[in-house]
Amino acid sequence: MDLVLQEFPLLLKGAYYTLLITAVSMTFGLIIGLLVALARITGNKVLSGLARFYVSVIRGTPLLVQIFIIYYGLPDVGITFEPLTAAFISLSINIGAYLSETFRGAIISIPKGQMEAALSIGMSYSQAMRRIILPQAARVAIPPMGNTFIGILKETSLVSVITVTELLRASQLLISKHLVVMPFYIAIAIMYWVMSTGFSILLGKAEVKLSKAY
Amino acid sequence: MIKVVNLTKNFAELKVLKEVSLQIKPKEVVVIIGPSGSGKTTFLRCLNGLEQPDVGSMEIDGIQVDAGMLDKEKNKRIREIRQHTGMVFQNFNLFPHMTVLQNIIEGPVTVKKMSVKAATKLGEELLLKVGLANKRDEYPSRLSGGQQQRVAIARSLAMEPKIMLFDEPTSALDPELVGEVLNVMKELAKEGMTMVVVSHEMGFAKEVADRVIFMSDGQIVEQGLPEEIFVNPKAERTRKFLNQILK
C-alpha cells in the first residue's frame, strides 16, 4: 500500500494518458463516425459501399490486430508513427466505425416527415440535415455514445502493448520495478472504475438535460 | 398559377397517377376529394417536389419542371418552387426540438437569411393571426393537435408563399379541434391565397372552394363548382363515393 502511494504520481501520469487517448480518439471518432454515417445514408453507391466496407472490416477484426497493423505493420511500407500517435489513430478509426452505426441508426430513426417539412419550407438537403435532422438524431445517439465512450476508456489499456505508458503499462513498469503485483493492479482497477463512474455520472446529467429540452 | 400536363407517377407496378392535367388560376381555392389510394395526396406531393413524377410537366408560379429534366436543374427549380409554395401535412411535422416561434422563423432565417429580429416580428404577427400568440415559447409537444396544425400553417406562411398546399390537414385531429384549423384556412382563402386542399371536409369545400375535383384511380374523374359535385354529380363513381362519406 505504501508502495502504491509512493509511486502514485507515476500512476496518475498513466491515468492522464488514458484520459488523453480516450478524449482525442473520441473526438476524431465522432467526426469519422458522422462522416461515415452520412456517406452511408446519402452518398452515392461507391461512397456508401466504401463506408460499409470500412465498418465491416473494423468491426470484424480485433482492436489489438488493428493497433499492431498500424504500429508494427505500416513501417514496412514506409509509414512510421510514434506510439502515442499510433494509439490515437487506431482508436479513432476503431471508434469511428462503431459510432457511425450509432449515428446511422439515430438518423434513420427520425421520422421522414421531418425531412419533408424542412424541404417544403425551401431548405436544401444539407440545411435540413444540419438544422433539423442531426439535432434530433444527437439526442437519440447520446445514450449509446456514452457506452462507446466508457468502453473505449477501458480499451485504451490495449495500447500498452505498443509501449504507450498509459495506466496499465504504468502499473506494469512499477510491478517489475518493485516485484509486487497485487497492490498495483488493484490500484489501477480502482482508478479505471472511478474514471468510468465519473463519466457515467456526467453522461447521465447530459442525458437528463437533453431530454428536458422538449 | 399552376399548370400541370400529363403528370404520371408509378410506384413499381402500381400506376398512382395517370396523365393528370390541371390548371389552377391565381387566388383559386381547389379542394380535391377521392377515395384513399386515388392518388390525390401523391398529386399534391408532386406539386411540391416531394414526389417526382415519371412523365409529364408542371409550371408553378412561372417555374417550369419537366419529368425528363436533368436532376441537377430539376432539383434547383423544385427548390425554387418550394420557396414560394407552402405545404401543410396531415401529421403537422413540426420540429420538436424547436419552440413554436423557432419553428416559424426557421425558414426565413435559414433559407432567406432574414435577420432573427425581423423574422421574430414576422413570426409574432403570424402567431397572432392563427390565434396562438401566447404559445410562442412552448415546445410543440405541449400543444394540442389543432394548435400544432395552426403553428404548421404559420410556419409555411412565414416563407410568404403564393400558393398553399394542404394534405388532409384535419384528418389527424380530434373532431372538436377541426374547426379551429378550418377557420384559419378560411381566413387565408378570404385573403386571396391560392390554395390546393386535399380534404374530405364538405362544409369547408362548400363554403370556400371555387372548384371541387374528384379523383379516383389516379385520374380526375370530374370537377366543378362544389354544389354541382356534391348535389348533382355526373359520374357514377363520384356518386358512390359521396354516398359513402355522407352516410
Side-chain angles (χ1 to χ4, degrees):
Chain A
M1 192 62 200
D2 285 345
L3 272 181
V4 171
L5 284 179
Q6 183 194 320
E7 300 286 8
F8 202 59
L10 215 85
L11 289 177
L12 271 185
K13 205 173 163 209
Y16 162 74
Y17 276 105
T18 292
L19 287 177
L20 178 72
I21 297 165
T22 308
V24 169
S25 46
M26 198 68 190
T27 308
F28 285 103
L30 277 172
I31 298 168
I32 296 172
L34 187 60
L35 292 178
V36 170
L38 288 174
R40 281 196 66 178
I41 291 171
T42 67
N44 58 28
K45 267 196 190 126
V46 179
L47 212 57
S48 78
L50 275 175
R52 209 174 13 236
F53 180 67
Y54 158 71
V55 172
S56 159
V57 167
I58 297 297
R59 294 211 307 176
T61 55
L63 175 56
L64 195 54
V65 174
Q66 294 162 19
I67 295 171
F68 282 165
I69 288 177
I70 286 174
Y71 186 66
Y72 294 121
L74 287 184
D76 280 0
V77 288
I79 307 170
T80 313
F81 295 115
E82 293 291 308
L84 192 59
T85 316
F88 288 156
I89 293 173
S90 49
L91 282 171
S92 299
I93 291 175
N94 185 271
I95 305 174
Y98 285 94
L99 285 183
S100 78
E101 286 295 283
T102 304
F103 291 154
R104 196 172 69 97
I107 291 170
I108 290 173
S109 79
I110 305 304
K112 232 177 91 202
Q114 290 291 311
M115 175 57 86
E116 292 184 347
L119 293 177
S120 80
I121 54 173
M123 284 192 189
S124 65
Y125 188 85
S126 64
Q127 283 173 336
M129 252 312 164
R130 216 169 46 237
R131 301 279 312 163
I132 308 301
I133 307 299
L134 291 181
Q136 293 183 61
R139 209 176 87 136
V140 180
I142 291 261
M145 252 170 64
N147 290 337
T148 309
F149 196 66
I150 287 166
I152 216 68
L153 179 82
K154 293 175 290 178
E155 293 205 60
T156 51
S157 58
L158 286 177
V159 302
S160 60
V161 298
I162 54 168
T163 72
V164 176
T165 311
E166 43 64 71
L167 196 47
L168 178 60
R169 193 168 135 84
S171 73
Q172 286 168 336
L173 292 176
L174 291 171
I175 286 167
S176 49
K177 181 175 157 197
H178 297 286
L179 302 171
V180 198
V181 178
M182 199 59 167
F184 287 111
Y185 281 149
I186 294 288
I188 66 161
I190 291 173
M191 288 169 83
Y192 276 117
W193 179 71
V194 167
M195 288 191 284
S196 316
T197 314
F199 276 125
S200 296
I201 292 170
L202 281 180
L203 286 164
K205 281 194 175 146
E207 229 172 280
V208 169
K209 205 173 163 195
L210 271 170
S211 58
K212 248 191 218 151
Y214 54 96
Chain B
M1 198 67 161
I2 300 178
K3 187 178 170 196
V4 175
V5 182
N6 284 338
L7 216 61
T8 300
K9 169 83 187 169
N10 306 319
F11 287 133
E13 295 290 286
L14 189 71
K15 290 189 167 147
V16 193
L17 292 177
K18 301 171 192 162
E19 303 194 338
V20 175
S21 298
L22 181 67
Q23 290 202 33
I24 294 172
K25 293 192 290 281
K27 301 195 176 186
E28 199 176 4
V29 177
V30 174
V31 171
I32 304 177
I33 59 171
S36 72
S38 60
K40 54 195 193 308
T41 288
T42 306
F43 176 72
L44 196 75
R45 288 165 60 85
C46 281
L47 294 182
N48 208 25
L50 291 175
E51 301 286 353
Q52 304 244 340
D54 297 311
V55 183
S57 70
M58 54 186 200
E59 190 184 321
I60 292 171
D61 193 27
I63 302 162
Q64 168 96 25
V65 176
D66 294 323
M69 265 178 185
L70 287 176
D71 277 351
K72 202 175 164 201
E73 180 64 20
K74 189 157 61 176
N75 290 339
K76 195 179 133 223
R77 292 191 187 190
I78 284 173
R79 229 189 124 197
E80 221 170 302
I81 287 174
R82 284 176 181 151
Q83 289 183 28
H84 18 135
T85 319
M87 177 95 178
V88 174
F89 300 88
Q90 185 175 356
N91 296 318
F92 333 129
N93 294 340
L94 290 177
F95 307 135
H97 59 306
M98 297 180 174
T99 64
V100 164
L101 184 72
Q102 286 168 341
N103 262 278
I104 296 173
I105 68 174
E106 182 61 26
V109 172
T110 303
V111 180
K112 286 188 175 172
K113 310 291 174 207
M114 193 188 271
S115 73
V116 173
K117 208 175 147 203
T120 302
K121 193 164 161 283
L122 172 70
E124 283 169 344
E125 281 165 21
L126 288 168
L127 278 174
L128 210 59
K129 183 172 177 159
V130 299
L132 290 170
N134 56 338
K135 301 287 185 195
R136 59 166 269 180
D137 296 320
E138 295 278 7
Y139 283 95
S141 59
R142 302 278 302 263
L143 305 183
S144 72
Q147 291 170 334
Q148 290 192 45
Q149 193 60 297
R150 284 187 282 157
V151 173
I153 293 173
R155 177 177 67 182
S156 289
L157 291 176
M159 292 300 286
E160 298 176 318
K162 294 181 184 158
I163 301 167
M164 285 287 284
L165 309 173
F166 293 85
D167 182 14
E168 309 210 26
T170 56
S171 304
L173 298 178
D174 290 334
E176 77 271 21
L177 302 176
V178 168
E180 61 191 62
V181 172
L182 292 181
N183 283 338
V184 171
M185 291 168 61
K186 283 174 197 169
E187 202 56 42
L188 274 180
K190 255 184 234 158
E191 287 169 14
M193 177 69 76
T194 309
M195 291 165 62
V196 185
V197 185
V198 170
S199 172
H200 291 157
E201 294 294 336
M202 296 298 159
F204 173 81
K206 276 178 191 159
E207 195 180 329
V208 298
D210 298 303
R211 186 166 23 143
V212 171
I213 293 175
F214 175 68
M215 277 184 79
S216 182
D217 295 321
Q219 288 169 317
I220 294 178
V221 177
E222 72 176 293
Q223 49 183 313
L225 295 171
E227 46 269 36
E228 286 173 14
I229 301 288
F230 292 141
V231 181
N232 206 358
K234 287 188 219 81
E236 177 61 31
R237 270 191 289 180
T238 318
R239 215 169 301 149
K240 252 195 193 153
F241 173 73
L242 287 171
N243 269 337
Q244 271 169 355
I245 62 164
L246 293 178
K247 230 184 263 172

Tab-separated table of all heavy atoms in Angstrom, chain B residues 140-188:
chain	number	residue	atom	x	y	z
B	140	PRO	N	-43.641	22.167	-29.323
B	140	PRO	CA	-44.824	21.583	-29.977
B	140	PRO	C	-45.495	20.479	-29.166
B	140	PRO	O	-46.718	20.355	-29.183
B	140	PRO	CB	-44.260	21.025	-31.284
B	140	PRO	CG	-43.092	21.895	-31.582
B	140	PRO	CD	-42.498	22.252	-30.242
B	141	SER	N	-44.697	19.680	-28.448
B	141	SER	CA	-45.292	18.553	-27.714
B	141	SER	C	-46.282	19.015	-26.651
B	141	SER	O	-47.079	18.225	-26.162
B	141	SER	CB	-44.188	17.717	-27.057
B	141	SER	OG	-43.442	18.523	-26.175
B	142	ARG	N	-46.219	20.306	-26.287
B	142	ARG	CA	-47.140	20.808	-25.271
B	142	ARG	C	-48.455	21.308	-25.869
B	142	ARG	O	-49.332	21.749	-25.146
B	142	ARG	CB	-46.486	21.968	-24.498
B	142	ARG	CG	-45.177	21.605	-23.816
B	142	ARG	CD	-45.435	20.915	-22.489
B	142	ARG	NE	-46.238	21.757	-21.612
B	142	ARG	CZ	-45.740	22.534	-20.662
B	142	ARG	NH1	-44.460	22.578	-20.477
B	142	ARG	NH2	-46.539	23.250	-19.895
B	143	LEU	N	-48.568	21.268	-27.195
B	143	LEU	CA	-49.763	21.817	-27.838
B	143	LEU	C	-50.727	20.710	-28.264
B	143	LEU	O	-50.319	19.581	-28.505
B	143	LEU	CB	-49.372	22.619	-29.089
B	143	LEU	CG	-48.352	23.743	-28.922
B	143	LEU	CD1	-48.160	24.457	-30.249
B	143	LEU	CD2	-48.785	24.733	-27.857
B	144	SER	N	-52.006	21.069	-28.384
B	144	SER	CA	-52.983	20.125	-28.921
B	144	SER	C	-52.758	19.989	-30.431
B	144	SER	O	-52.053	20.798	-31.042
B	144	SER	CB	-54.398	20.646	-28.671
B	144	SER	OG	-54.657	21.743	-29.533
B	145	GLY	N	-53.363	18.969	-31.024
B	145	GLY	CA	-53.218	18.756	-32.460
B	145	GLY	C	-53.648	19.970	-33.273
B	145	GLY	O	-52.966	20.371	-34.222
B	146	GLY	N	-54.772	20.551	-32.877
B	146	GLY	CA	-55.274	21.713	-33.621
B	146	GLY	C	-54.307	22.884	-33.540
B	146	GLY	O	-54.060	23.578	-34.533
B	147	GLN	N	-53.736	23.058	-32.346
B	147	GLN	CA	-52.760	24.143	-32.190
B	147	GLN	C	-51.501	23.866	-32.999
B	147	GLN	O	-50.949	24.754	-33.643
B	147	GLN	CB	-52.416	24.315	-30.703
B	147	GLN	CG	-53.583	24.868	-29.891
B	147	GLN	CD	-53.323	24.808	-28.391
B	147	GLN	OE1	-52.552	23.969	-27.921
B	147	GLN	NE2	-53.971	25.687	-27.638
B	148	GLN	N	-51.070	22.586	-32.983
B	148	GLN	CA	-49.872	22.235	-33.756
B	148	GLN	C	-50.081	22.507	-35.242
B	148	GLN	O	-49.208	23.025	-35.928
B	148	GLN	CB	-49.516	20.757	-33.562
B	148	GLN	CG	-48.994	20.447	-32.179
B	148	GLN	CD	-48.371	19.058	-32.098
B	148	GLN	OE1	-47.619	18.654	-32.960
B	148	GLN	NE2	-48.709	18.326	-31.062
B	149	GLN	N	-51.282	22.162	-35.716
B	149	GLN	CA	-51.525	22.366	-37.138
B	149	GLN	C	-51.566	23.860	-37.479
B	149	GLN	O	-51.116	24.279	-38.533
B	149	GLN	CB	-52.836	21.658	-37.569
B	149	GLN	CG	-53.031	21.543	-39.063
B	149	GLN	CD	-51.930	20.750	-39.747
B	149	GLN	OE1	-50.760	21.140	-39.729
B	149	GLN	NE2	-52.284	19.649	-40.370
B	150	ARG	N	-52.090	24.665	-36.559
B	150	ARG	CA	-52.107	26.100	-36.817
B	150	ARG	C	-50.686	26.671	-36.823
B	150	ARG	O	-50.364	27.559	-37.617
B	150	ARG	CB	-52.974	26.809	-35.769
B	150	ARG	CG	-54.471	26.606	-36.046
B	150	ARG	CD	-55.321	27.440	-35.125
B	150	ARG	NE	-55.428	26.846	-33.789
B	150	ARG	CZ	-55.719	27.554	-32.687
B	150	ARG	NH1	-55.905	28.859	-32.761
B	150	ARG	NH2	-55.818	26.946	-31.527
B	151	VAL	N	-49.823	26.132	-35.944
B	151	VAL	CA	-48.418	26.554	-35.974
B	151	VAL	C	-47.788	26.141	-37.309
B	151	VAL	O	-47.050	26.906	-37.927
B	151	VAL	CB	-47.624	25.941	-34.804
B	151	VAL	CG1	-46.130	26.238	-34.952
B	151	VAL	CG2	-48.133	26.470	-33.473
B	152	ALA	N	-48.134	24.929	-37.761
B	152	ALA	CA	-47.568	24.447	-39.025
B	152	ALA	C	-47.991	25.362	-40.177
B	152	ALA	O	-47.203	25.653	-41.087
B	152	ALA	CB	-48.009	23.008	-39.296
B	153	ILE	N	-49.224	25.839	-40.130
B	153	ILE	CA	-49.679	26.762	-41.173
B	153	ILE	C	-48.885	28.066	-41.085
B	153	ILE	O	-48.403	28.590	-42.096
B	153	ILE	CB	-51.207	27.032	-41.042
B	153	ILE	CG1	-51.983	25.740	-41.345
B	153	ILE	CG2	-51.638	28.148	-41.978
B	153	ILE	CD1	-53.480	25.835	-41.083
B	154	ALA	N	-48.702	28.557	-39.859
B	154	ALA	CA	-47.923	29.786	-39.674
B	154	ALA	C	-46.491	29.594	-40.173
B	154	ALA	O	-45.911	30.491	-40.781
B	154	ALA	CB	-47.923	30.191	-38.202
B	155	ARG	N	-45.937	28.406	-39.932
B	155	ARG	CA	-44.569	28.136	-40.392
B	155	ARG	C	-44.474	28.231	-41.914
B	155	ARG	O	-43.507	28.770	-42.458
B	155	ARG	CB	-44.138	26.734	-39.926
B	155	ARG	CG	-42.759	26.337	-40.423
B	155	ARG	CD	-42.329	24.988	-39.895
B	155	ARG	NE	-43.140	23.899	-40.437
B	155	ARG	CZ	-42.980	22.627	-40.104
B	155	ARG	NH1	-42.059	22.289	-39.214
B	155	ARG	NH2	-43.748	21.689	-40.629
B	156	SER	N	-45.487	27.689	-42.589
B	156	SER	CA	-45.493	27.786	-44.053
B	156	SER	C	-45.663	29.233	-44.504
B	156	SER	O	-44.995	29.692	-45.428
B	156	SER	CB	-46.638	26.965	-44.639
B	156	SER	OG	-46.370	25.611	-44.496
B	157	LEU	N	-46.561	29.951	-43.823
B	157	LEU	CA	-46.841	31.331	-44.231
B	157	LEU	C	-45.627	32.234	-44.038
B	157	LEU	O	-45.492	33.250	-44.720
B	157	LEU	CB	-48.027	31.889	-43.428
B	157	LEU	CG	-49.389	31.261	-43.744
B	157	LEU	CD1	-50.452	31.820	-42.811
B	157	LEU	CD2	-49.777	31.511	-45.197
B	158	ALA	N	-44.745	31.844	-43.112
B	158	ALA	CA	-43.573	32.676	-42.846
B	158	ALA	C	-42.687	32.819	-44.080
B	158	ALA	O	-41.923	33.769	-44.193
B	158	ALA	CB	-42.769	32.092	-41.687
B	159	MET	N	-42.779	31.878	-45.006
B	159	MET	CA	-41.999	31.985	-46.240
B	159	MET	C	-42.718	32.854	-47.271
B	159	MET	O	-42.274	32.977	-48.406
B	159	MET	CB	-41.721	30.591	-46.822
B	159	MET	CG	-40.772	29.740	-45.988
B	159	MET	SD	-39.150	30.483	-45.765
B	159	MET	CE	-38.427	30.253	-47.397
B	160	GLU	N	-43.848	33.441	-46.878
B	160	GLU	CA	-44.653	34.298	-47.741
B	160	GLU	C	-44.942	33.648	-49.094
B	160	GLU	O	-44.614	34.188	-50.144
B	160	GLU	CB	-43.965	35.666	-47.881
B	160	GLU	CG	-43.881	36.304	-46.504
B	160	GLU	CD	-43.124	37.628	-46.459
B	160	GLU	OE1	-42.077	37.705	-47.126
B	160	GLU	OE2	-43.586	38.533	-45.771
B	161	PRO	N	-45.575	32.472	-49.013
B	161	PRO	CA	-45.836	31.722	-50.243
B	161	PRO	C	-46.970	32.343	-51.051
B	161	PRO	O	-47.797	33.074	-50.499
B	161	PRO	CB	-46.256	30.348	-49.717
B	161	PRO	CG	-46.887	30.644	-48.403
B	161	PRO	CD	-46.142	31.806	-47.826
B	162	LYS	N	-46.976	32.041	-52.337
B	162	LYS	CA	-48.084	32.491	-53.185
B	162	LYS	C	-49.131	31.397	-53.298
B	162	LYS	O	-50.258	31.653	-53.695
B	162	LYS	CB	-47.552	32.848	-54.569
B	162	LYS	CG	-46.624	34.043	-54.520
B	162	LYS	CD	-46.144	34.388	-55.900
B	162	LYS	CE	-45.129	35.527	-55.826
B	162	LYS	NZ	-44.282	35.550	-57.025
B	163	ILE	N	-48.702	30.171	-53.012
B	163	ILE	CA	-49.608	29.024	-53.109
B	163	ILE	C	-49.479	28.218	-51.821
B	163	ILE	O	-48.371	28.030	-51.313
B	163	ILE	CB	-49.209	28.116	-54.296
B	163	ILE	CG1	-49.256	28.904	-55.604
B	163	ILE	CG2	-50.100	26.884	-54.368
B	163	ILE	CD1	-48.592	28.198	-56.765
B	164	MET	N	-50.610	27.750	-51.299
B	164	MET	CA	-50.557	26.871	-50.132
B	164	MET	C	-51.162	25.522	-50.489
B	164	MET	O	-52.250	25.444	-51.052
B	164	MET	CB	-51.341	27.479	-48.953
B	164	MET	CG	-50.637	28.626	-48.255
B	164	MET	SD	-49.234	28.105	-47.225
B	164	MET	CE	-50.086	27.421	-45.820
B	165	LEU	N	-50.419	24.457	-50.151
B	165	LEU	CA	-50.902	23.098	-50.403
B	165	LEU	C	-51.236	22.460	-49.054
B	165	LEU	O	-50.453	22.549	-48.111
B	165	LEU	CB	-49.815	22.272	-51.100
B	165	LEU	CG	-49.177	22.894	-52.349
B	165	LEU	CD1	-48.009	22.041	-52.823
B	165	LEU	CD2	-50.209	23.027	-53.456
B	166	PHE	N	-52.402	21.846	-48.961
B	166	PHE	CA	-52.808	21.215	-47.705
B	166	PHE	C	-53.080	19.742	-47.945
B	166	PHE	O	-53.934	19.391	-48.761
B	166	PHE	CB	-54.092	21.862	-47.168
B	166	PHE	CG	-53.926	23.291	-46.736
B	166	PHE	CD1	-54.022	24.321	-47.654
B	166	PHE	CD2	-53.691	23.607	-45.408
B	166	PHE	CE1	-53.880	25.649	-47.254
B	166	PHE	CE2	-53.546	24.922	-44.997
B	166	PHE	CZ	-53.646	25.957	-45.925
B	167	ASP	N	-52.357	18.876	-47.240
B	167	ASP	CA	-52.548	17.440	-47.413
B	167	ASP	C	-53.352	16.888	-46.237
B	167	ASP	O	-52.794	16.626	-45.181
B	167	ASP	CB	-51.180	16.752	-47.502
B	167	ASP	CG	-51.332	15.255	-47.736
B	167	ASP	OD1	-52.451	14.823	-48.082
B	167	ASP	OD2	-50.333	14.530	-47.564
B	168	GLU	N	-54.631	16.742	-46.404
B	168	GLU	CA	-55.523	16.263	-45.346
B	168	GLU	C	-55.210	16.922	-43.998
B	168	GLU	O	-54.894	16.229	-43.020
B	168	GLU	CB	-55.427	14.738	-45.223
B	168	GLU	CG	-55.617	14.054	-46.568
B	168	GLU	CD	-56.233	12.660	-46.458
B	168	GLU	OE1	-56.952	12.420	-45.474
B	168	GLU	OE2	-56.004	11.854	-47.358
B	169	PRO	N	-55.322	18.227	-43.941
B	169	PRO	CA	-54.831	18.949	-42.749
B	169	PRO	C	-55.607	18.663	-41.475
B	169	PRO	O	-55.105	18.925	-40.385
B	169	PRO	CB	-54.989	20.423	-43.143
B	169	PRO	CG	-56.047	20.431	-44.181
B	169	PRO	CD	-55.890	19.143	-44.935
B	170	THR	N	-56.823	18.125	-41.591
B	170	THR	CA	-57.603	17.906	-40.374
B	170	THR	C	-57.851	16.429	-40.075
B	170	THR	O	-58.520	16.091	-39.110
B	170	THR	CB	-58.973	18.613	-40.471
B	170	THR	OG1	-59.650	18.139	-41.640
B	170	THR	CG2	-58.815	20.113	-40.578
B	171	SER	N	-57.270	15.539	-40.899
B	171	SER	CA	-57.564	14.107	-40.734
B	171	SER	C	-57.019	13.518	-39.443
B	171	SER	O	-57.546	12.535	-38.939
B	171	SER	CB	-56.994	13.306	-41.899
B	171	SER	OG	-57.486	13.815	-43.093
B	172	ALA	N	-55.933	14.104	-38.923
B	172	ALA	CA	-55.333	13.521	-37.718
B	172	ALA	C	-55.861	14.180	-36.447
B	172	ALA	O	-55.352	13.936	-35.370
B	172	ALA	CB	-53.808	13.657	-37.788
B	173	LEU	N	-56.896	15.020	-36.591
B	173	LEU	CA	-57.358	15.799	-35.439
B	173	LEU	C	-58.608	15.204	-34.808
B	173	LEU	O	-59.444	14.617	-35.488
B	173	LEU	CB	-57.670	17.231	-35.870
B	173	LEU	CG	-56.505	18.042	-36.426
B	173	LEU	CD1	-56.992	19.413	-36.862
B	173	LEU	CD2	-55.406	18.171	-35.390
B	174	ASP	N	-58.727	15.401	-33.495
B	174	ASP	CA	-59.988	15.075	-32.833
B	174	ASP	C	-61.061	15.992	-33.406
B	174	ASP	O	-60.779	17.146	-33.727
B	174	ASP	CB	-59.861	15.317	-31.324
B	174	ASP	CG	-58.957	14.296	-30.670
B	174	ASP	OD1	-58.837	13.181	-31.226
B	174	ASP	OD2	-58.354	14.604	-29.633
B	175	PRO	N	-62.293	15.483	-33.504
B	175	PRO	CA	-63.349	16.253	-34.168
B	175	PRO	C	-63.503	17.683	-33.632
B	175	PRO	O	-63.707	18.609	-34.409
B	175	PRO	CB	-64.611	15.439	-33.883
B	175	PRO	CG	-64.135	14.062	-33.626
B	175	PRO	CD	-62.759	14.176	-33.056
B	176	GLU	N	-63.373	17.844	-32.313
B	176	GLU	CA	-63.629	19.185	-31.773
B	176	GLU	C	-62.510	20.174	-32.105
B	176	GLU	O	-62.643	21.363	-31.866
B	176	GLU	CB	-63.883	19.123	-30.262
B	176	GLU	CG	-62.652	18.957	-29.397
B	176	GLU	CD	-62.283	17.490	-29.143
B	176	GLU	OE1	-62.715	16.622	-29.940
B	176	GLU	OE2	-61.564	17.229	-28.168
B	177	LEU	N	-61.392	19.676	-32.661
B	177	LEU	CA	-60.278	20.571	-32.977
B	177	LEU	C	-60.224	20.948	-34.449
B	177	LEU	O	-59.413	21.756	-34.874
B	177	LEU	CB	-58.954	19.912	-32.578
B	177	LEU	CG	-58.831	19.516	-31.106
B	177	LEU	CD1	-57.518	18.799	-30.856
B	177	LEU	CD2	-58.943	20.738	-30.211
B	178	VAL	N	-61.117	20.315	-35.244
B	178	VAL	CA	-61.081	20.532	-36.688
B	178	VAL	C	-61.433	21.978	-37.030
B	178	VAL	O	-60.795	22.614	-37.866
B	178	VAL	CB	-62.056	19.556	-37.394
B	178	VAL	CG1	-62.261	19.943	-38.846
B	178	VAL	CG2	-61.528	18.130	-37.295
B	179	GLY	N	-62.452	22.512	-36.316
B	179	GLY	CA	-62.965	23.847	-36.624
B	179	GLY	C	-61.915	24.941	-36.596
B	179	GLY	O	-61.839	25.775	-37.499
B	180	GLU	N	-61.047	24.900	-35.552
B	180	GLU	CA	-60.072	25.981	-35.410
B	180	GLU	C	-59.084	26.016	-36.574
B	180	GLU	O	-58.628	27.082	-36.986
B	180	GLU	CB	-59.331	25.846	-34.070
B	180	GLU	CG	-58.542	24.560	-33.906
B	180	GLU	CD	-58.039	24.351	-32.464
B	180	GLU	OE1	-58.872	24.231	-31.536
B	180	GLU	OE2	-56.814	24.326	-32.292
B	181	VAL	N	-58.762	24.823	-37.116
B	181	VAL	CA	-57.839	24.771	-38.250
B	181	VAL	C	-58.550	25.254	-39.523
B	181	VAL	O	-58.000	26.046	-40.297
B	181	VAL	CB	-57.284	23.348	-38.437
B	181	VAL	CG1	-56.481	23.247	-39.727
B	181	VAL	CG2	-56.424	22.956	-37.242
B	182	LEU	N	-59.784	24.794	-39.693
B	182	LEU	CA	-60.536	25.214	-40.892
B	182	LEU	C	-60.753	26.730	-40.892
B	182	LEU	O	-60.703	27.364	-41.950
B	182	LEU	CB	-61.879	24.482	-40.964
B	182	LEU	CG	-61.786	22.984	-41.239
B	182	LEU	CD1	-63.186	22.366	-41.311
B	182	LEU	CD2	-61.030	22.698	-42.534
B	183	ASN	N	-60.981	27.298	-39.695
B	183	ASN	CA	-61.182	28.745	-39.633
B	183	ASN	C	-59.961	29.506	-40.145
B	183	ASN	O	-60.097	30.485	-40.874
B	183	ASN	CB	-61.501	29.175	-38.196
B	183	ASN	CG	-62.941	28.855	-37.843
B	183	ASN	OD1	-63.781	28.709	-38.738
B	183	ASN	ND2	-63.221	28.729	-36.549
B	184	VAL	N	-58.780	29.030	-39.758
B	184	VAL	CA	-57.558	29.682	-40.238
B	184	VAL	C	-57.474	29.559	-41.764
B	184	VAL	O	-57.123	30.507	-42.472
B	184	VAL	CB	-56.312	29.060	-39.568
B	184	VAL	CG1	-55.039	29.564	-40.225
B	184	VAL	CG2	-56.297	29.364	-38.076
B	185	MET	N	-57.843	28.383	-42.263
B	185	MET	CA	-57.779	28.175	-43.720
B	185	MET	C	-58.800	29.050	-44.454
B	185	MET	O	-58.513	29.582	-45.530
B	185	MET	CB	-58.007	26.694	-44.043
B	185	MET	CG	-56.845	25.806	-43.574
B	185	MET	SD	-57.224	24.042	-43.622
B	185	MET	CE	-57.532	23.821	-45.368
B	186	LYS	N	-59.983	29.192	-43.857
B	186	LYS	CA	-60.999	30.051	-44.475
B	186	LYS	C	-60.510	31.495	-44.544
B	186	LYS	O	-60.697	32.181	-45.546
B	186	LYS	CB	-62.301	30.005	-43.653
B	186	LYS	CG	-63.115	28.735	-43.860
B	186	LYS	CD	-64.305	28.708	-42.910
B	186	LYS	CE	-64.860	27.286	-42.810
B	186	LYS	NZ	-65.831	27.155	-41.711
B	187	GLU	N	-59.865	31.900	-43.458
B	187	GLU	CA	-59.306	33.259	-43.399
B	187	GLU	C	-58.315	33.472	-44.553
B	187	GLU	O	-58.354	34.483	-45.253
B	187	GLU	CB	-58.611	33.420	-42.043
B	187	GLU	CG	-58.429	34.837	-41.581
B	187	GLU	CD	-59.736	35.614	-41.526
B	187	GLU	OE1	-60.771	35.056	-41.064
B	187	GLU	OE2	-59.726	36.775	-41.955
B	188	LEU	N	-57.453	32.461	-44.750
B	188	LEU	CA	-56.460	32.543	-45.821
B	188	LEU	C	-57.127	32.651	-47.184
B	188	LEU	O	-56.705	33.433	-48.039
B	188	LEU	CB	-55.595	31.275	-45.825
B	188	LEU	CG	-54.388	31.228	-44.920
B	188	LEU	CD1	-53.686	29.894	-45.083
B	188	LEU	CD2	-53.440	32.367	-45.286
